[in-house]
Amino acid sequence: MKILAIDSSGMVASVAVWENDLLLAEYTINYKKTHSQTLLPMLDEAAGMIELDLESVDAIAVTKGPGSFTGLRIGAATAKGLGLALKKPVIPVATVDALAYNLVYAEGLVCPIMDARRSQVYTGLYRFHGAEMETLLEQTPMAVAELTEKLNDIGQKVLFLGDGVPVYESLLRERLTVDYAFVPAHMNRQRAGALAALAALLYKKGEAVTAMEFQPEYLRQSQAERERAEREAAKS
């Protein structure tokens, strides 16, 4: 089983190739260039280094959202284009689930937070039983204040990761009454290797779609759509 994984849901761009529980290649960049500039060259470089024949890939894994609207569209277009050209299925993976899977085997609650602006995050809650990931709260947009209340009510130690941590760290420190920790830099952002590992499990469960069927899931309106709705509401 060989999976090509693509994640461009946030500031990080990452591609990986996974074969039979072995991570053959992973290329991750967290820099200011746009994903339209980096993603395909990264894929080409990684494939060249391992002499990958794209026809040998069994499926293409991609984060389906939430995340950056532009990033998700670039990742979705890349996955759909490859899937259609190669006639391969697509494995859509929830972005927050894939981010949480960076911490497989961790003890305590795992809480990814992605900055959604306006004091909101895309988040979810997870617990690992060995390699098995239990979803306690499916990915959702949520105010940081509401999230901290929920975590305080649960009363268990929490591990935070994601690009929302540096944005809301002071607020988390101020509001949390439970034990918590922030995941170190090498584990706290999207990684296509973790995406591929989780996608392999989902593929075995039959959770793949055709490239034509795949669509990203944004979970909320884009800023442009919100501003347009606010203008129209003000006129009425």
Side-chain angles (χ1 to χ4, degrees):
M1 168 96 193
K2 187 179 292 183
I3 294 174
L4 171 64
I6 300 167
D7 192 334
S8 59
S9 58
M11 288 294 294
V12 172
S14 187
V15 298
V17 181
W18 175 276
E19 183 175 21
N20 299 330
D21 293 329
L22 179 66
L23 183 60
L24 296 181
E26 184 177 41
Y27 192 162
T28 300
I29 286 182
N30 185 9
Y31 195 60
K32 57 188 177 183
K33 291 184 179 179
T34 64
H35 298 324
S36 60
Q37 294 175 290
T38 59
L39 198 60
L40 287 177
M42 289 167 59
L43 173 57
D44 185 60
E45 181 74 16
M49 290 295 289
I50 60 172
E51 301 177 344
L52 174 68
D53 178 3
L54 288 175
E55 293 286 352
S56 70
V57 169
D58 294 295
I60 299 159
V62 63
T63 43
K64 65 180 180 180
S68 157
F69 285 80
T70 301
L72 289 174
R73 289 182 182 121
I74 291 170
T78 302
K80 286 175 73 74
L82 288 170
L84 289 169
L86 300 170
K87 297 181 175 60
K88 304 294 182 179
V90 172
I91 311 168
V93 181
T95 306
V96 180
D97 291 13
L99 189 52
Y101 209 72
N102 281 354
L103 303 186
V104 63
Y105 287 97
E107 296 183 359
L109 296 180
V110 173
C111 183
I113 54 174
M114 299 173 63
D115 184 19
R117 310 280 178 95
R118 299 187 178 190
S119 296
Q120 294 223 337
V121 291
Y122 298 119
T123 190
L125 286 177
Y126 307 86
R127 181 183 289 117
F128 286 97
H129 307 279
E132 181 181 349
M133 185 170 73
E134 177 188 3
T135 302
L136 304 177
L137 172 67
E138 292 189 359
Q139 63 174 18
T140 183
M142 183 179 294
V144 178
E146 181 183 352
L147 175 61
T148 54
E149 287 179 10
K150 183 181 292 289
L151 293 172
N152 288 336
D153 288 342
I154 295 174
Q156 299 178 29
K157 183 175 180 178
V158 188
L159 299 174
F160 289 102
L161 70 161
D163 61 27
V165 171
V167 180
Y168 300 110
E169 180 177 348
S170 60
L171 186 57
L172 293 170
R173 292 185 183 279
E174 175 186 326
R175 290 179 170 271
L176 287 170
T177 58
V178 294
D179 289 338
Y180 60 88
F182 300 120
V183 173
H186 65 289
M187 301 167 67
N188 70 4
R189 293 292 191 274
Q190 287 92 333
R191 287 187 55 189
L195 165 64
L198 182 55
L201 298 177
L202 297 177
Y203 187 79
K204 292 175 182 177
K205 296 178 181 179
E207 296 186 27
V209 298
T210 66
M212 188 66 71
E213 291 172 323
F214 169 65
Q215 295 293 334
E217 298 178 7
Y218 300 110
L219 292 192
R220 60 182 244 183
Q221 292 179 315
S222 69
Q223 181 177 346
E225 291 170 326
R226 292 196 303 270
E227 290 176 351
R228 182 176 61 193
E230 289 169 0
R231 289 196 299 269
E232 291 175 351
K235 293 178 182 177
S236 60

